[in-house]
Amino acid sequence: MDNTKPIGLFDSGIGGTTICKEVNLLLPYENTIYLADSKNAPYGQRTKEQIIALSIKNIDYLISQHCKLIIVACNTATTNAISELRAKYSLPIIGIEPAVKPATILTKTAVIGVLATKGTLTSELFSNTVKKYSDIVIVEQIGYDLVKLIEEGKINDPEMDYLLQQYLEPMVIKGMDTLVLGCTHYPYLISKIKKLIPEHINIIDSGAAVAKHTRKVLEENNLLNTGKTIGKRLFYTNKEVEILRLFVEDKSSVHYLDF
Ligand code: DGL
């Protein structure tokens, strides 16, 4: 495989841009193609079968664009579909799931919180992860409607603050000292979250870890782009271009695509 081929990323919407930014930062010479399947967001309320079918549709498009590696930049798609996707495709596929292990290392109160979608928290993969840490209290909270509001461009609506407070307060009361952001949309809420929880609580988002893992997998597969020109970055959405542009620095790299 030609190592100048792009890395393909997809998410149910704009959330995975938080991962894409970390990848672009760590691997500046890589070309990237990002798909925001906003027309079908949120994935978090969908069935496992629907999430697998949507993920296949996204990957098939990225493969048609000759991507050399896929990043499933969505916790919900990873936790519900990654094994089916790896069984179907031969190219390397990297996923993202809530960073429970790092949180269990960091916590001093032995109480960690995981804020994620319903699809992630009810997945078999996530429940198997939780079972490994029986000595830690894991407070799970579904972030109902957070993705929906972000996708509608309503991050700063009072409703967002209200919902965050409803979700976070009980977690704080239960003694959480480490909060895992288990959805790639949520890093866009960090400044709001910080205002609602005590300062000592660590917030874990796994974007940088995914970028590092991507570099390792590229190296292992001889796929690292050895060129020295900044990569071409393309962002596609099948819904509103203007909303995706709010989250991407180079507005001219964002286009509408009916996929
Ligand atoms: N960014 C997706 C995730 O990480 C959001 C899923 C959704 O669309 O509900 O889970």
Side-chain angles (χ1 to χ4, degrees):
M1 167 79 80
D2 174 357
N3 62 18
T4 63
K5 299 286 186 216
I7 294 173
L9 304 94
F10 77 87
D11 178 39
S12 62
I14 61 99
T17 55
T18 57
I19 306 291
C20 196
K21 279 175 190 161
E22 297 290 349
V23 170
N24 291 152
L25 202 66
L26 188 73
L27 300 164
Y29 309 126
E30 296 293 338
N31 301 303
T32 53
I33 302 180
Y34 180 88
L35 293 186
D37 192 14
S38 296
K39 188 172 74 180
N40 294 303
Y43 281 10
Q45 303 295 109
R46 292 182 177 277
T47 63
K48 181 178 170 73
E49 289 66 33
Q50 288 173 326
I51 296 168
I52 293 171
L54 290 167
S55 300
I56 288 174
K57 164 190 72 78
N58 298 332
I59 295 181
D60 282 347
Y61 177 76
L62 291 169
I63 289 178
S64 78
Q65 300 306 298
H66 313 289
C67 288
K68 60 183 177 183
L69 173 144
I70 303 293
I71 302 177
V72 182
C74 175
N75 291 262
T76 309
T78 301
T79 52
N80 283 277
I82 197 88
S83 44
E84 287 79 1
L85 300 175
R86 288 196 175 127
K88 182 174 168 65
Y89 299 101
S90 58
L91 82 176
I93 301 182
I94 291 175
I96 174 164
E97 54 187 291
V100 172
K101 188 178 174 188
T104 61
I105 295 167
L106 213 57
T107 182
K108 294 202 167 59
T109 57
V111 183
I112 69 166
V114 181
L115 185 64
T117 68
K118 183 177 170 206
T120 294
L121 295 177
T122 57
S123 68
E124 205 185 316
L125 197 149
F126 182 75
S127 80
N128 287 338
T129 302
V130 167
K131 278 186 206 142
K132 288 186 206 154
Y133 304 100
S134 53
D135 49 336
I136 303 276
V137 176
I138 301 180
V139 185
E140 299 171 25
Q141 175 63 54
I142 296 175
Y144 288 111
D145 285 347
L146 300 180
V147 168
K148 179 177 158 278
L149 286 176
I150 297 171
E151 288 293 322
E152 288 169 355
K154 293 180 182 164
I155 281 196
N156 293 318
D157 262 34
E159 195 188 346
M160 181 64 88
D161 296 293
Y162 173 76
L163 291 177
L164 283 172
Q165 190 182 356
Q166 298 296 307
Y167 302 154
L168 294 168
E169 209 173 78
M171 301 172 101
V172 173
I173 290 169
K174 285 181 184 144
M176 150 184 96
D177 71 347
T178 306
L179 170 65
V180 177
L181 300 183
C183 170
T184 55
H185 282 69
Y186 299 167
Y188 288 122
L189 304 174
I190 287 178
S191 60
K192 290 184 176 297
I193 291 174
K194 281 190 173 159
K195 286 188 195 138
L196 293 165
I197 61 176
E199 226 173 280
H200 74 273
I201 297 182
N202 309 299
I203 300 177
I204 304 189
D205 123 53
S206 2
V210 172
K212 270 195 202 152
H213 184 57
T214 302
R215 182 173 62 188
K216 185 168 163 264
V217 174
L218 287 173
E219 279 166 356
E220 284 168 356
N221 289 276
N222 259 328
L223 287 174
L224 201 65
N225 191 337
T226 47
K228 286 284 172 277
T229 44
I230 297 297
K232 185 170 181 195
R233 285 118 198 218
L234 286 170
F235 294 84
Y236 293 114
T237 175
N238 52 17
K239 210 170 171 197
E240 285 166 67
V241 174
E242 288 315 320
I243 293 199
L244 182 56
R245 284 199 176 126
L246 295 174
F247 299 90
V248 174
E249 210 178 309
D250 175 10
K251 313 292 175 206
S252 66
S253 64
V254 181
H255 308 277
Y256 174 79
L257 181 76
D258 189 13
F259 64 91

